[in-house]
Amino acid sequence: MKVNWKLVAALSSLIVICAAFYGGYLLFQGADVSMPPLFQRVSSGPRLLMSMEGFRFTQSEDGRVSWRMYAKNADL
Protein backbone atom coordinates (compact mmCIF):
# COMPACT_ATOMS: atom_id res chain seq x y z
CA MET A 1 0.00 0.00 0.00
CA LYS A 2 1.36 3.38 -1.02
CA VAL A 3 1.07 6.28 1.45
CA ASN A 4 0.60 9.80 0.15
CA TRP A 5 2.88 11.69 2.60
CA LYS A 6 1.85 15.12 1.27
CA LEU A 7 -1.78 14.37 2.13
CA VAL A 8 -0.81 13.07 5.58
CA ALA A 9 1.30 16.20 6.22
CA ALA A 10 -1.50 18.52 5.05
CA LEU A 11 -4.11 16.79 7.22
CA SER A 12 -1.76 16.79 10.22
CA SER A 13 -1.10 20.50 9.77
CA LEU A 14 -4.83 21.20 9.53
CA ILE A 15 -5.50 19.22 12.71
CA VAL A 16 -2.74 21.09 14.60
CA ILE A 17 -4.04 24.50 13.42
CA CYS A 18 -7.63 23.63 14.40
CA ALA A 19 -6.48 22.36 17.79
CA ALA A 20 -4.53 25.60 18.38
CA PHE A 21 -7.54 27.76 17.51
CA TYR A 22 -9.85 25.69 19.71
CA GLY A 23 -7.35 25.79 22.58
CA GLY A 24 -7.10 29.57 22.23
CA TYR A 25 -10.87 29.80 22.24
CA LEU A 26 -11.09 27.75 25.45
CA LEU A 27 -8.29 29.75 27.05
CA PHE A 28 -9.82 33.17 26.34
CA GLN A 29 -13.49 32.20 26.51
CA GLY A 30 -14.19 33.86 29.87
CA ALA A 31 -11.34 36.35 29.85
CA ASP A 32 -12.11 40.02 30.37
CA VAL A 33 -10.21 41.82 27.63
CA SER A 34 -10.20 45.57 28.12
CA MET A 35 -8.22 48.44 26.69
CA PRO A 36 -5.57 49.96 28.99
CA PRO A 37 -6.58 53.35 30.43
CA LEU A 38 -3.75 55.04 28.55
CA PHE A 39 -5.43 54.34 25.19
CA GLN A 40 -9.04 54.93 26.23
CA ARG A 41 -10.66 58.07 24.86
CA VAL A 42 -11.33 60.70 27.50
CA SER A 43 -14.21 63.00 26.63
CA SER A 44 -13.11 65.96 28.73
CA GLY A 45 -9.73 67.66 28.82
CA PRO A 46 -6.34 66.76 27.44
CA ARG A 47 -4.60 63.56 28.44
CA LEU A 48 -0.89 63.17 29.10
CA LEU A 49 0.78 60.35 27.17
CA MET A 50 4.43 61.08 27.93
CA SER A 51 6.41 63.47 30.11
CA MET A 52 10.17 64.11 29.95
CA GLU A 53 12.58 66.19 31.98
CA GLY A 54 15.76 67.68 30.54
CA PHE A 55 14.63 67.44 26.92
CA ARG A 56 17.07 68.34 24.11
CA PHE A 57 16.42 68.03 20.35
CA THR A 58 18.86 68.80 17.52
CA GLN A 59 17.97 69.02 13.82
CA SER A 60 20.79 68.59 11.30
CA GLU A 61 20.89 68.82 7.53
CA ASP A 62 23.84 67.54 5.48
CA GLY A 63 25.85 67.00 8.66
CA ARG A 64 25.39 70.62 9.88
CA VAL A 65 23.19 71.56 12.82
CA SER A 66 20.33 73.72 11.55
CA TRP A 67 18.60 74.28 14.91
CA ARG A 68 18.49 73.08 18.52
CA MET A 69 15.78 73.00 21.14
CA TYR A 70 16.33 72.77 24.89
CA ALA A 71 13.55 72.40 27.47
CA LYS A 72 13.33 71.68 31.19
CA ASN A 73 10.11 69.68 30.64
CA ALA A 74 8.30 68.26 27.64
CA ASP A 75 4.75 66.84 27.68
CA LEU A 76 3.00 64.96 24.91
Side-chain angles (χ1 to χ4, degrees), residues 24-59:
Y25 167 74
L26 291 177
L27 183 65
F28 293 109
Q29 183 178 6
D32 179 28
V33 179
S34 61
M35 188 177 295
L38 177 65
F39 299 112
Q40 291 178 356
R41 183 173 293 276
V42 179
S43 60
S44 63
R47 60 183 180 151
L48 181 64
L49 295 177
M50 182 179 10
S51 179
M52 295 178 275
E53 292 183 14
F55 180 75
R56 183 174 73 184
F57 187 81
T58 304
Q59 173 70 38

